[in-house]
Amino acid sequence: MAEKEKLLEVKNLKQYFNIGKSNEVKAVNDISFDIYKGETFGLVGESGCGKSTTGRTIIRLYNATGGSVLYRGQDVHEKKTKSELKDLHQKMQMIYQDPYASLNPRMKVNDIIAEGIDIHELVKSKKERKDKVQELLETVGLNRDHANRYPHEFSGGQRQRIGIARALAVNPEFIIADEPISALDVSIQAQVVNLLKKLQREKDLTYLFIAHDLSMVKYISDRIGVMYQGKLVEVATSDDLYLNPMHPYTQSLLSAIPLPDPSYERTRRRISYDPTSHGYEEGEEVYMREVAPNHYVNCSEKEYKQYQSNYNPK
């Protein structure tokens, strides 16, 4: 079996913000994970856990406080020339959470999508530019004549498709999707996720998919990382995380997912997570340990042994 190609390496990443003179918020607090070419890595957690900040730091919208982000072995946060940054931004693109705020209301769709094409000088004529935009619109399920309209003329789902077309315009290989469906109606969410899966197959894309909806993340992701208060607490394959959730915070997230089964819903028990329940002693080492093959949990030595004994391969 061929070894998977590591596209992105996040190593001990830290992103701290100073609020006032003495209050420091550790939005991302020493996390590490890898993303392999062609896969979707899901990052989940409740609002404020640091998952969106992680995505924005990876793509260098924020400068990291500490640690490193390696893209194809090159550190994203090292000092770079304008040419190097331009090349990096072509390879890495972002789809934003709010399809209303992320599109310039004064620009026509044609110019919104072509903005990256113009910056990276990817076409040689106005006709080629127009053809490329129309091709992208069709790729994301919109019509060619939509190019001459303004964002306010579209629904939320259509605007998010325009955002996806804009990200695809520069032919990236890695896309960070930052809660791309959270602002959309439930009926539209599945359509957008299915579009992302289709594009991944057709264009050999790699995704970091950030969301708080675990059921949707399971549907699209190959592996999932669970974040809590700036730290990764569990990383596993999508199926294994659902079948064998080890960390109590992961268990609490899964217990909140409703199912279309009345008898199950009548007996469904919500699990509350109490971070003080671990009972760690002062100086006790707590870090990510491999409890089972490719299944990592942030835990102490005592918890590690307990999780190993409880693990049930299915």
Side-chain angles (χ1 to χ4, degrees), residues 3-250:
E3 188 175 339
K4 291 185 289 185
E5 181 184 350
K6 198 179 289 185
L7 192 67
L8 187 87
E9 298 174 73
V10 176
K11 297 182 176 181
N12 307 111
L13 186 65
K14 300 179 182 71
Q15 183 57 260
Y16 300 166
F17 298 107
N18 291 316
I19 300 177
K21 292 184 178 179
S22 58
N23 189 14
E24 184 178 60
V25 176
K26 296 181 178 180
V28 179
N29 191 12
D30 196 17
I31 68 170
S32 301
F33 60 91
D34 301 327
I35 299 179
Y36 296 94
K37 184 168 173 55
E39 80 165 344
T40 297
F41 185 89
L43 197 57
V44 298
E46 60 197 12
S47 296
C49 71
K51 56 190 186 298
S52 289
T53 302
T54 298
R56 287 165 182 254
T57 306
I58 286 172
I59 206 167
R60 202 169 153 163
L61 289 177
Y62 300 141
N63 288 320
T65 304
S68 60
V69 177
L70 303 181
Y71 185 80
R72 292 194 174 278
Q74 298 294 314
D75 194 333
V76 169
H77 288 273
E78 281 182 350
K79 189 174 181 181
K80 292 190 173 350
T81 64
K82 281 187 177 180
S83 174
E84 288 172 329
L85 280 173
K86 189 175 174 182
D87 184 50
L88 177 71
H89 290 149
Q90 183 177 351
K91 292 174 181 173
M92 303 170 71
Q93 284 289 301
M94 195 160 193
I95 300 167
Y96 295 91
Q97 176 179 356
D98 189 344
Y100 297 90
S102 62
L103 303 180
N104 188 332
R106 297 173 184 269
M107 292 172 67
K108 288 185 177 181
V109 167
N110 179 62
D111 295 319
I112 289 171
I113 293 174
E115 199 169 10
I117 295 172
D118 296 340
I119 290 169
H120 294 281
E121 301 173 339
L122 299 178
V123 295
K124 296 177 181 177
S125 67
K126 286 184 178 179
K127 183 183 183 302
E128 193 179 348
R129 181 186 191 264
K130 179 182 176 182
D131 291 344
K132 178 69 173 174
V133 169
Q134 291 183 338
E135 178 191 330
L136 285 162
L137 284 168
E138 289 187 339
T139 298
V140 298
L142 296 173
N143 299 325
R144 286 174 171 252
D145 60 3
H146 286 155
N148 293 315
R149 298 185 189 177
Y150 289 94
H152 74 268
E153 299 179 65
F154 296 91
S155 67
Q158 288 174 319
R159 290 186 206 196
Q160 197 57 287
R161 288 172 186 266
I162 293 166
I164 293 169
R166 177 178 58 186
L168 292 175
V170 295
N171 304 316
E173 54 183 2
F174 176 61
I175 292 179
I176 297 173
D178 183 13
E179 302 224 33
I181 58 173
S182 64
L184 305 178
D185 291 341
V186 174
S187 59
I188 305 299
Q189 290 181 357
Q191 294 177 18
V192 172
V193 168
N194 285 331
L195 172 63
L196 290 171
K197 291 184 75 167
K198 175 175 175 283
L199 292 170
Q200 183 175 40
R201 290 192 302 270
E202 292 174 352
K203 299 181 179 296
D204 194 24
L205 295 169
T206 304
Y207 292 140
L208 171 60
F209 188 87
I210 299 168
H212 60 264
D213 181 351
L214 255 173
S215 56
M216 193 60 80
V217 171
K218 180 182 186 296
Y219 176 65
I220 194 173
S221 301
D222 299 292
R223 290 185 302 129
I224 297 173
V226 180
M227 277 191 82
Y228 178 76
Q229 293 189 351
K231 283 191 168 290
L232 271 177
V233 296
E234 191 160 3
V235 177
T237 64
S238 178
D239 288 338
D240 199 19
L241 190 80
Y242 273 70
L243 293 172
N244 283 293
M246 292 288 161
H247 197 279
Y249 177 66
T250 308

